[in-house]
Coordinates of all heavy atoms in Angstrom, one line a residue:
N349 N -6.1 24.7 -57.8 CA -7.5 24.5 -57.6 C -8.4 25.5 -58.3 O -9.4 25.2 -58.9 CB -7.9 24.4 -56.1 CG -7.2 23.3 -55.4 OD1 -6.5 23.5 -54.4 ND2 -7.3 22.0 -55.9
R350 N -8.0 26.8 -58.2 CA -8.8 27.9 -58.7 C -7.9 29.0 -59.2 O -6.8 29.2 -58.7 CB -9.8 28.4 -57.7 CG -10.8 27.4 -57.2 CD -11.7 28.0 -56.1 NE -12.5 29.1 -56.6 CZ -13.4 29.7 -55.9 NH1 -13.4 29.5 -54.5 NH2 -14.1 30.7 -56.4
T351 N -8.4 29.7 -60.2 CA -7.6 30.9 -60.7 C -8.5 32.1 -60.7 O -9.7 32.0 -61.0 CB -7.2 30.6 -62.2 OG1 -6.3 29.5 -62.2 CG2 -6.6 31.9 -62.8
F352 N -8.0 33.2 -60.1 CA -8.7 34.5 -60.1 C -7.8 35.4 -60.9 O -6.7 35.7 -60.6 CB -8.8 35.0 -58.7 CG -9.7 34.1 -57.8 CD1 -9.1 33.1 -57.1 CD2 -11.0 34.4 -57.7 CE1 -9.9 32.3 -56.2 CE2 -11.8 33.6 -56.8 CZ -11.2 32.5 -56.1
V353 N -8.4 36.0 -61.9 CA -7.8 37.1 -62.7 C -8.4 38.4 -62.3 O -9.6 38.6 -62.5 CB -7.9 36.9 -64.2 CG1 -7.2 38.0 -65.0 CG2 -7.3 35.5 -64.6
L354 N -7.6 39.3 -61.7 CA -8.1 40.5 -61.1 C -7.6 41.7 -61.9 O -6.4 42.0 -61.9 CB -7.7 40.6 -59.6 CG -8.1 39.4 -58.8 CD1 -7.6 39.6 -57.4 CD2 -9.6 39.1 -58.8
A355 N -8.5 42.4 -62.5 CA -8.1 43.6 -63.3 C -8.4 44.9 -62.6 O -9.6 45.1 -62.2 CB -8.8 43.6 -64.7
N356 N -7.4 45.7 -62.3 CA -7.6 47.0 -61.7 C -8.1 48.0 -62.8 O -7.8 47.9 -63.9 CB -6.4 47.5 -61.0 CG -5.2 47.6 -61.9 OD1 -4.4 46.6 -62.0 ND2 -5.0 48.7 -62.6
G357 N -9.0 48.9 -62.3 CA -9.5 49.9 -63.3 C -9.9 51.2 -62.6 O -9.9 51.3 -61.4
R358 N -10.1 52.2 -63.4 CA -10.5 53.5 -63.0 C -11.9 53.8 -63.7 O -12.0 53.5 -64.9 CB -9.5 54.5 -63.4 CG -9.7 55.9 -63.0 CD -8.6 56.8 -63.4 NE -8.6 58.2 -62.9 CZ -9.3 59.2 -63.4 NH1 -10.0 59.0 -64.6 NH2 -9.3 60.4 -62.9
A359 N -12.8 54.3 -62.9 CA -14.2 54.5 -63.5 C -14.8 55.7 -62.9 O -14.4 56.2 -61.8 CB -15.1 53.2 -63.2
I360 N -15.8 56.2 -63.6 CA -16.7 57.3 -63.0 C -18.0 56.6 -62.6 O -18.7 56.1 -63.5 CB -16.9 58.4 -64.1 CG1 -15.6 59.0 -64.5 CG2 -17.8 59.5 -63.5 CD1 -14.7 59.7 -63.5
I361 N -18.3 56.7 -61.3 CA -19.5 56.1 -60.8 C -20.2 57.2 -60.0 O -19.7 57.9 -59.1 CB -19.3 54.9 -59.9 CG1 -18.5 53.8 -60.6 CG2 -20.6 54.3 -59.3 CD1 -18.1 52.6 -59.8
N362 N -21.5 57.5 -60.4 CA -22.3 58.5 -59.8 C -21.5 59.9 -59.9 O -21.6 60.7 -59.0 CB -22.6 58.2 -58.3 CG -23.4 56.9 -58.2 OD1 -24.2 56.6 -59.1 ND2 -23.3 56.2 -57.1
G363 N -20.8 60.1 -61.0 CA -20.2 61.4 -61.3 C -18.9 61.6 -60.6 O -18.3 62.7 -60.7
K364 N -18.3 60.5 -59.9 CA -17.1 60.7 -59.2 C -16.1 59.6 -59.5 O -16.5 58.5 -59.9 CB -17.3 60.7 -57.7 CG -18.1 61.9 -57.2 CD -18.2 62.0 -55.7 CE -19.0 63.2 -55.2 NZ -19.1 63.3 -53.8
I365 N -14.8 59.9 -59.4 CA -13.8 58.9 -59.7 C -13.9 57.8 -58.6 O -13.9 58.0 -57.4 CB -12.4 59.5 -59.6 CG1 -12.2 60.5 -60.7 CG2 -11.3 58.5 -59.8 CD1 -11.0 61.4 -60.6

Side-chain angles (χ1 to χ4, degrees):
N349 299 123
R350 296 177 69 181
T351 295
F352 297 89
V353 181
L354 307 179
N356 53 269
R358 184 179 187 275
I360 302 297
I361 302 177
N362 298 330
K364 294 184 178 180
I365 296 171

